[in-house]
């Protein structure tokens, strides 16, 4: 449990009373009660308010706010306010602002705007975190700490350049090792002094965001910046823990955000929290995958849904309203996949600046007689009733998909073979097929213990880090089914090619050699022709993007290409390996293949879909204390019926159910069943 | 009359003899005569020529030019030459060049290139304007002053930053007031010293031209830059007026140019002038609307058509020729809508640099035997014959559309609810319907006196400035029909939301509450279903972009949405208010709705179309001394017949006409009728 | 012959052993032998390796490499390594890095990164070239020098600004002359001191790469930068020639690369070499045209194919594999059009950095059992067998197409009449028609001697340089057929319009006057209606882009426009001129017109297609010592048969052939016939 003070699914969100006159506060208190809100995240962007100049701190407004909330039964998620530095700091110490990718020194503005290697920023952010922790360490309202906000963005200033060189020196020990790792003899880039190295941006080695002359350098700069920001977090974390070792600390992550290695970050978070902002056009399975990834960051530990909008965003191109019921539906989707909180951005809609058209629990009209408020209040009542039933419940997946941020960076920095390759898309293709089959799946890191799974899928595992190949071999040898794809096993952790034939370190496990890689234009495709039948996997499917020209070296050829000069060459192989097997998908298949292929693999392992139901009805499960909670989430506008098998009780209605359960359009059922 | 020295529609244009050898000048004189040209705009870009260094002025060339023109019967529109500073000035005083939106300090180059807050630029531009005015104050050729040229563009340099802070101090009085107006507690932006504020551009708060973190700040920067450039204009204006209080002063505007608040500028222009450059694909109704807007800048006072091309532009992507007759047709379109001059850019086509493929009266071939010259000369003869008949004639519109540049900025700076909302497009939808109905319309500012109109339409009046709501209420109470739309009444002049329910200050007048705003994707639409019949307004229409979810609070629901979860909610309402009524169009309808809706409203007020005619035949009217001049402009390639009603005389043919009048393809008729 | 030491078609490519551990080298040697490789290009990017700091040079590694290659029968193309400066140089002398088009000072990174006007860069690049030449002047392995690599890119730094001013002073003599040439009185740009002039980039006169306010200035900056880079080349060239006057010197060009005037460069190359990187979607006729252009740079002298990929690129969007046979086919295409070498980038595929997915003879797998290696080795054996048969053979074209880089710059810098005009595309339209007719064509400069040709085509010869019009007239007067098009003859070498009517200096020769130029939108077209029949040229064709409205002044009207207001005006004219004729194509026709028009012209001159064959079979010819080598290149996947006429021997099979010759899919035949 995140904090036992509040043993239920927390309900509330971001609250900025400092932006309002005092006469609104009693109305806030009244409406929070009406809505069943019991948690407020405060002080997210109040640094300039609490520290009006270098020498002065004034927390009186915060004291009053926390006391008021507490007096009204609302607990506090207390932010450290360091997500944006004060204007006076940028004026007095220009070093705190960043230099951007284009090489431009920024001036004061925006948020997430501090150079992570600025000594001034580090000194003052640490200082205020410490002061807050010391001040409020004993306040009964505080449930959890929220460090800064949505960390992100890179800096390319001179402070960062110097820190990067030190970081490299620690990583490589010598310039000789660095020159080898980056293959600097290419294009005459040999470095003889550390200070010859400059950050890779549009003034030096990169352009367009993801193009680089030197993948090794660019990869290291991403590692370095992710770590630099993490260091800022850790400085605050450590200050806080000095005073409140008993309180959990988090910072709100952003799901599939590309720039930070969240698996590395999660090691330093007591609890993962994240902000979920799907658009009307986001596939529900992508949201589901992101929840599962956030849950996977700390090996299945429940997480906090820190932000979502009750109605609409402001920063998308077309900010459609969440249709009636959808806010509740998506809230339960988060809970179904591991969230133990349902929090909103924000509780009262702001009156000015760029987020004033972002939905809120209390809208500009200011009263409770709105659709949005009614839906919010109804959900608040439900969560109250659910009490602690679901808290700390875990996933029980037998299938895992490997996800790796450093691999993602390497794939996106690659020059060739195609600009069409998007790592997240390829991962999502596998996830989506399992989602539609309603087979629970964990998203795991390359460092994960694989031994508890029956099937492990590592799509486009381009970069194979030390030890992973051995782990995958052990997993297969012990009876597991390992799956990987084209453009895997190509490079090591420095983006240097593993010589001797692709897929490099995975070649033995897979029993194949990929001789060439053909890149298809977007309007081109090939076919996958299955030899014979493999359960539901049979006949012909479409494929495209990349086609490996592979040669089986021990592996069985399950399917072949249907056209082009490599017609008849293997498109899908399986290699028996010890008690298990290793599959290689040599191209990027269509959704029909994905569905049939994963049905085939899971059937072989005896992994059954949770329920039978029409597409659009999502199912997943959490387990706890021998109890199994089956979530049925109907994303269709019409009612849908699922065959649930065992009897149980619907937690939301209190009714006993068994067999076929009909869920209303955009409705939810949570069926407690014996585990 | 702009200047009684030349009591006819002035005819001529920009003339740059200083770019040519002396032997071309007699040929110019000869051809000007052939073409009936009687006005030349000179000295537009001659600063570097007249002031070769900081201490030297040499106007001998200008003396000779003016004398020569005058001797040949050509009057002068005399420019002050400050639209581009000399190279020596940029070298000696780098402060005169701008810092651009990307934060880059510019070097010498281009035009409209001076920082408006550069003391050096201000000193020298004022000085040369004064010298010119003093020198030519008694020259009989001078008709009008032309300050600088096509003012535009913003600067973000340190001089501007300092001036912005002073401007803010004058506007807000205190940082406390500024912090409230900009809602700076959002994202911790509280300012404690004036010099913590930096101009909002890509180095601070903005990106991509129209995105900002702080709408209030960005809005103020636009106001400030528009005023800064206006201050430059006023410095020259005042210098000129010292010497020639009797001569009118203008600067050439650019129609719908976004960056300057032309209503504020027009107060300081003795006569409005503007440059009209439609493309082959510009709707004729958009050109018409722009003429009407330019006329509206000074409450209907006739304006100068300062520039148009006789044949083609150079700076469009595809510079098609004006088809035979079109130059004449569009010239009369300007006159029909309030122009008392027809001027070209330019009289002789330049030989080098970027405008040499811009059409001119005298083409590169150099003689008069060209289609373009023949058409020009024919029009010259016609204008000669028209004499002063049309001068000073005014519009007699009973319908007004409100247009506001600050509102436009605010709409375009808004983050959410949709990127698809374009203020000018929405205004043009209403204008276009009236244009097609052939109902004269004035374009007016939010400061306008509305009492003379029967119908006032304020599309997307997002920002409601102090006093406007009261004025609209008084207008309706007195019997007027007021119309506004979705996304109106939302914010005050600082872009702070008016709390208590949209449309804020307009809510009482409209009798509705807009609870939510749904944004539709470009491929989505909804339907407007009219309840019963409202004259021609009946049945079902399409709509999209934004759909307000409104609740009638006294207003009558005239139409409802036809689909989605808000099917059956009001899409069009009317509120009886005193002797008048107030309409609310809750979404962005299709053209068919527009046409029927405005036909319905105007019919009710007894406002009749000027004529009945096929689409493509434009009609408008000017009135003067009890005389009514009905313009029929046929934009079709074929002849078209209009039912004109009363008898009259066609000024261009001298023939008496009555009833049905047939206008040739791309032809024009100007029918004088009793008023 | 490039170098008589190796009297055969050289075979090999770029080789970077310094990027590899010593244990790979014996394997390289072994595989080079297997592949028949006899030339390696080395030391291309090794400056930092050979000169680790300002005072130290160490060529030991290079000594060993050259000796090893030589011992294994591999000759050396020796690069000077100055294509990228060392990191230490950029750190110590920031002046060596460039300022980019956006005005940004670059830091160390990339390649082709040196400011061409940096004294430091010039000193050290010259020094190392001299040291290399002195050191290896007597080494028997060296065949040819390769200066730097793929020169390109412009710089806008202060050193360049100063050098530009000196260059302008030399070119124009006085500011007065410069002001006239650039027409600086436009927009008040008169310069009074040389240092008022700044390089034209996004901080001054240009934007978006090819837009400018002052064409004359921008044109001169391109000339200046092209010459500045050429000066860098010449400095190295001269140093090398001091030591090895007997060895040829080249630098590798890039075909249609826009930024350098390769005709000017070629004067300073002993042999032209270039890098050929077509994509799967590049028309084969465009590759052919580029080969012909490279051959034309030195008046038909055979050139070196310096780089091509054996399989795939890495830097294209979609890097498809060369299909089986295509590498051989495209290699012979180069030879067919004048190449006396077939060289690859590169011999061993790199292990890290941005070119590791660029194909190579030795792939990452490292052994010879790959498709790519097998094809490479087979071609090596063939080239061995061909021996010196084809060396030094020349083209025998009777048709020439004029190509001019300065004209290209001027066309692309033009503001108006259309953004749709692409000089290379228009040239390629004419080339492509001749290619499909299988009529050999030379690509020549405006300085070329035209007297040997029957037909000379100068598409879009917008800029007519001094003397060209007279040369074209003499050519026609002597019986030649001259062809030019719309948008020709408009300006002089300074981009100043030739007054008195388009096409200016060409007007007399063509017997027409172009009164106006209409620009069509991309979705618009007109028609060309041929009057009567002109051989195969008859009926109606489509046209678009630009339509000149011309008037025949002596020329015969061969075809007219079919629609719009200029229907019936001339679209195609021919003017009898002395013993010859001059054609004017007034618009941009479709491919059908092109084919028929050129068939008509060539038939009249008795120029016959080389062979009759299905489209897709390319034919060309080289001649030498009274022998004629007919190349048949089948770009189709299926066999194709050509009617070859005279009997001969297929050099590749040794078989006698005559009449119909069938070439396999993607196959090649080289038929030696009596000349």
């Amino acid at each position: 449990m995140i904090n036992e003070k509040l043993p239920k699914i927390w309900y509330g969100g971001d609250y900025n009373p400092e932006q309002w006159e005092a006469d609104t506060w009693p109305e806030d208190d009244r409406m929070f009660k009406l809505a069943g809100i019991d948690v407020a995240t405060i002080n997210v962007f109040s640094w300039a308010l609490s520290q009006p100049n270098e020498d002065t701190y004034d927390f009186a407004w915060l004291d009053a706010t926390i006391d008021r909330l507490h007096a009204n039964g609302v607990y506090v998620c207390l932010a450290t306010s360091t997500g944006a530095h004060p204007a006076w700091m940028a004026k007095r110490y220009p070093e705190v602002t960043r230099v951007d990718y284009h090489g431009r020194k920024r001036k004061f503005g925006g948020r997430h705007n501090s150079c992570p290697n600025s000594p001034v920023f580090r000194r003052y952010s640490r200082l205020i975190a410490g002061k807050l922790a010391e001040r409020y360490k004993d306040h009964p309202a505080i449930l959890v700490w929220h460090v800064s906000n949505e960390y992100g963005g890179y800096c390319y200033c001179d402070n960062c350049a110097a820190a990067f060189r030190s970081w490299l020196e620690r990583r490589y020990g010598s310039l000789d090792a660095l020159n080898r790792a980056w293959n600097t003899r290419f294009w005459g880039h040999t470095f003889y002094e550390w200070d010859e190295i400059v950050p890779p941006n549009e003034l030096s080695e990169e352009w367009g965001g993801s193009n680089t002359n030197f993948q090794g350098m660019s990869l290291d700069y991403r590692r370095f910046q992710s770590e630099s920001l993490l260091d800022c977090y850790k400085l605050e974390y450590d200050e806080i823990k000095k005073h409140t070792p008993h309180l959990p600390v988090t910072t709100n992550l952003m799901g599939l955000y590309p720039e930070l290695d969240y698996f590395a970050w999660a090691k330093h978070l007591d609890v993962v929290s994240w902000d979920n902002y799907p658009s009307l056009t986001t596939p529900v399975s992508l949201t589901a995958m992101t929840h599962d990834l956030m849950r996977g960051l700390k090996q299945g530990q429940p997480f906090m849904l820190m932000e979502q909008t009750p109605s609409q965003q402001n920063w998308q191109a077309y900010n459609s309203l969440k249709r009636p019921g959808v806010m509740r539906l998506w809230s339960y989707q988060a809970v179904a996949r591991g969230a133990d909180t349902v929090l909103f951005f924000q509780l009262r809609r702001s009156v000015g600046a760029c987020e004033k058209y972002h939905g809120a629990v209390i809208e500009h009209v200011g009263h409770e007689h709105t659709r949005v408020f009614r839906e919010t209040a109804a959900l608040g009542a439900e969560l109250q009733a659910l009490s602690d039933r679901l808290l700390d419940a875990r996933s029980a997946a037998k299938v895992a998909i490997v996800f790796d941020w450093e691999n993602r960076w390497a794939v996106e920095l690659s020059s060739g073979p195609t600009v069409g390759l998007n790592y997240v898309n390829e991962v999502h293709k596998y996830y989506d097929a399992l989602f539609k089959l309603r087979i629970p799946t964990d998203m795991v890191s390359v460092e994960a213990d694989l031994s508890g799974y029956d099937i492990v899928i590592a799509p486009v595992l381009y970069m194979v880090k030390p030890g992973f190949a051995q782990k995958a071999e052990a997993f297969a040898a012990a009876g597991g089914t390992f799956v990987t794809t084209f453009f895997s096993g190509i490079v090591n952790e420095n983006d240097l090619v593993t010589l001797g034939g692709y897929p490099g370190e995975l070649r033995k496990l897979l029993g194949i050699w990929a001789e060439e890689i053909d890149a298809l234009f977007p309007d081109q495709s090939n076919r996958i022709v299955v030899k014979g039948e493999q359960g539901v996997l049979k006949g012909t499917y479409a494929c495209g993007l990349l086609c490996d020209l592979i040669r089986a070296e021990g592996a069985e050829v399950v399917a072949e290409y249907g056209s082009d000069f490599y017609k008849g060459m293997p498109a899908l192989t399986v290699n028996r390996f010890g008690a298990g097997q290793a599959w290689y998908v040599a191209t990027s298949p269509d959704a029909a293949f994905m569905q049939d292929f994963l049905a085939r693999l899971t059937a072989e392992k005896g992994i059954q879909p949770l329920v039978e139901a029409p597409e659009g009805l999502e199912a997943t499960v959490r387990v706890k204390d021998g109890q199994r909670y089956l979530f049925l989430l109907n994303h269709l506008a019409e009612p849908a019926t699922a065959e649930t098998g065992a009897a149980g009780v619907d937690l939301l209605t209190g009714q006993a159910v068994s067999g076929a359960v009909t869920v209303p359009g955009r409705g939810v059922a949570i069926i407690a069943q014996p585990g």
Side-chain angles (χ1 to χ4, degrees), chain A:
Chain A
M1 220 172 288
I2 309 167
N3 189 320
E4 303 197 348
K5 278 190 213 165
L6 184 60
K8 68 173 280 288
I9 296 174
W10 300 355
Y11 195 53
D14 277 65
Y15 179 47
N16 300 290
E18 74 279 10
Q19 294 176 19
W20 296 85
E21 300 300 321
D23 56 4
T24 63
W25 302 340
E27 191 64 6
D28 293 337
D29 298 333
R30 182 183 73 84
M31 288 179 72
F32 293 170
K33 277 205 182 72
L34 285 177
I37 281 167
D38 43 35
V39 171
T41 303
I42 61 172
N43 198 40
V44 177
F45 285 111
S46 320
W47 196 349
L49 187 63
S50 304
Q51 188 183 3
N53 59 53
E54 198 161 1
D55 305 311
T56 314
Y57 291 86
D58 178 0
F59 297 110
W61 75 273
L62 191 54
D63 295 347
T65 300
I66 297 174
D67 289 345
R68 173 173 57 85
L69 288 166
H70 187 238
N72 284 279
V74 177
Y75 289 88
V76 167
C77 169
L78 187 54
T80 61
S81 78
T82 56
H85 53 244
W88 61 256
M89 194 182 289
K91 182 184 97 175
R92 180 147 187 185
Y93 301 104
E95 67 161 71
V96 303
T97 67
R98 292 179 181 172
V99 168
D100 72 12
Y101 187 68
H102 308 284
R104 301 179 300 191
K105 174 66 177 172
R106 294 189 60 79
K107 301 188 174 185
F108 176 71
R111 58 173 179 171
H112 319 139
N113 48 6
S114 308
C115 166
N117 289 297
S118 155
V120 168
F121 172 72
R122 290 193 170 197
R123 179 165 68 248
Y124 284 108
S125 58
R126 179 178 179 176
L127 205 55
I128 197 165
K131 282 180 187 290
L132 288 164
E134 185 176 19
R135 187 174 196 95
Y136 299 111
K137 65 178 187 291
D138 299 322
H139 200 295
I142 314 295
L143 289 182
V144 59
W145 288 98
H146 176 298
V147 173
S148 190
N149 183 66
E150 293 184 347
Y151 278 102
Y154 294 165
C155 178
Y156 301 86
C157 74
D158 290 344
N159 277 332
C160 283
F164 184 43
R165 291 169 196 137
S166 302
W167 184 92
L168 290 170
E169 206 164 344
R170 290 193 302 276
R171 181 176 176 89
Y172 291 107
S174 72
L175 275 168
D176 199 44
L178 173 144
N179 279 318
R180 276 197 307 276
W182 290 358
N183 196 35
T184 55
R185 290 197 174 178
F186 178 78
W187 288 3
H189 266 50
T190 306
F191 295 108
Y192 292 103
E193 305 282 351
W194 290 101
D195 63 356
E196 291 164 17
I197 300 168
V198 295
N201 68 3
E202 288 208 329
L203 300 187
S204 54
E205 303 291 4
E206 295 194 17
W207 66 102
S210 64
N211 303 289
T212 182
N213 295 314
F214 283 81
Q215 279 69 23
M217 183 192 301
S218 293
L219 200 50
D220 276 345
Y221 204 75
R222 280 151 182 72
R223 287 176 174 128
F224 161 70
Q225 283 285 322
S226 178
E227 284 185 28
S228 294
L229 285 161
L230 179 55
D231 285 344
C232 293
Y233 165 85
K234 282 156 68 178
L235 283 174
E236 295 194 37
Y237 180 95
D238 290 345
E239 281 300 304
I240 291 166
K241 282 294 185 180
K242 277 185 203 163
H243 301 286
T244 60
H246 59 293
L247 283 176
V249 180
T250 189
T251 184
N252 50 338
L253 308 182
M254 293 178 286
L256 290 161
Y257 181 73
E259 295 193 327
L260 304 182
D261 179 356
Y262 281 159
F263 277 114
W265 277 65
K267 292 173 185 170
H268 304 277
L269 271 56
D270 295 329
V271 56
V272 165
S273 66
W274 85 284
D275 301 345
N276 180 33
Y277 288 111
S279 141
L280 189 71
T281 57
T282 307
V284 287
S285 68
L286 188 64
T287 305
M289 180 176 108
T290 313
H291 283 306
D292 287 358
L293 178 62
M294 294 297 99
R295 184 185 70 238
L297 293 182
K298 288 191 86 72
Q299 295 78 47
Q301 179 184 315
F303 59 89
M304 296 175 68
L305 177 63
M306 182 66 90
E307 296 183 17
Q308 67 172 348
T309 177
S311 53
Q312 69 194 144
Q313 279 93 255
N314 67 288
W315 46 263
Q316 294 175 344
Y318 309 98
N319 297 280
S320 51
L321 297 168
K322 286 186 178 172
R323 273 42 209 157
V326 170
M327 181 277 287
R328 173 177 178 261
L329 176 65
W330 290 2
S331 297
Y332 280 118
Q333 187 189 34
V335 172
R337 296 193 172 275
D340 279 359
T341 76
V342 172
L343 302 173
F344 296 106
F345 183 88
Q346 57 183 333
L347 297 186
R348 183 182 274 277
R349 196 187 264 225
S350 57
V351 73
C354 70
E355 289 181 349
K356 62 183 173 294
Y357 300 118
H358 193 291
V361 171
I362 305 175
E363 300 270 22
H364 285 142
V365 72
H367 59 53
E368 64 267 38
H369 308 296
T370 67
R371 177 182 74 93
V372 169
F373 192 87
R374 281 189 297 270
E375 293 194 24
T376 307
L379 179 58
E382 272 189 357
L383 296 181
Q384 200 75 40
L386 274 175
S387 184
D388 66 350
R389 284 293 293 270
L390 296 166
L391 297 190
D392 293 328
R394 309 292 286 237
S395 147
K398 302 308 289 177
V399 180
I401 293 179
V402 173
F403 189 94
D404 186 40
W405 264 270
E406 297 193 359
N407 179 52
R408 178 183 186 182
W409 294 336
V411 166
E412 286 169 12
L413 289 167
S414 176
S415 174
T418 177
V419 299
L421 176 56
N422 177 300
Y423 176 64
V424 170
N425 283 0
E426 294 304 314
V427 170
H428 178 245
K429 275 183 155 188
Y430 285 83
Y431 184 92
D432 183 61
L434 291 159
F435 177 88
K436 290 194 175 118
L437 288 167
R438 299 182 187 85
I439 288 170
T441 302
D442 284 348
M443 301 294 296
V444 303
S445 88
V446 292
E447 294 178 350
D449 176 5
L450 307 177
S451 61
Y453 295 104
D454 290 340
I455 300 175
V456 169
I457 307 171
V460 190
L461 196 69
Y462 170 67
M463 173 187 286
V464 173
K465 291 178 184 169
F468 184 84
Q470 295 70 24
K471 183 162 60 178
E473 288 175 3
F475 168 75
T481 296
F482 180 78
V483 180
T484 190
T485 73
F486 66 94
F487 216 52
S488 293
I490 311 285
V491 298
N492 71 7
E493 74 279 15
N494 293 320
D495 200 64
L496 292 175
V497 170
T498 301
L499 296 174
Y502 317 135
E505 292 194 61
L506 301 176
R507 191 167 164 195
K508 179 180 151 208
L509 171 58
L510 295 161
I512 56 141
W513 165 44
E515 181 181 339
E516 298 185 72
I517 306 171
D518 195 26
L520 278 64
F521 280 67
D523 58 356
Q524 290 181 317
S525 65
N526 205 313
R527 280 173 299 128
I528 298 174
V529 182
V530 179
K531 302 170 73 169
E533 290 196 16
Q534 293 274 342
V536 295
L537 186 69
K538 62 189 171 192
T540 295
Y541 304 89
C543 64
L545 189 64
L546 290 176
C547 291
D548 274 5
L549 276 57
I550 63 175
R551 303 192 175 276
E553 298 182 325
E556 174 192 349
V557 178
V558 182
E560 301 171 343
Y561 289 112
S563 59
D564 217 320
F565 76 90
Y566 39 90
K567 176 178 175 174
M569 288 182 75
L572 177 67
T573 60
V574 60
N575 196 40
R576 309 295 150 189
F577 196 91
Q581 51 187 233
W583 291 79
Y584 190 79
V585 187
T587 180
S588 186
D590 63 12
F593 174 91
M594 283 299 178
Q595 196 87 359
D596 292 348
F597 176 55
L598 289 163
R600 152 79 181 72
L601 293 189
T602 51
E604 186 179 46
K605 284 290 184 185
I607 304 170
Q608 295 303 320
L610 291 174
V611 297
E612 294 294 320
E615 187 170 329
L617 188 138
E618 174 183 352
T620 191
V621 75
R622 289 180 75 174
V623 296
K624 175 184 167 184
D625 304 337
Q627 190 82 2
R628 192 170 175 275
Y629 298 98
L630 175 67
F631 288 77
L632 302 177
L633 304 150
N634 183 7
H635 296 281
L636 305 172
E638 313 78 46
T641 301
E643 285 298 327
T644 61
V649 175
D650 184 339
L651 291 192
L652 299 176
T653 61
Q655 304 219 306
V657 297
S658 102
V661 173
T662 297
V663 186
R666 294 190 179 124
V668 179
I670 309 174
I671 301 170
Q673 298 171 321

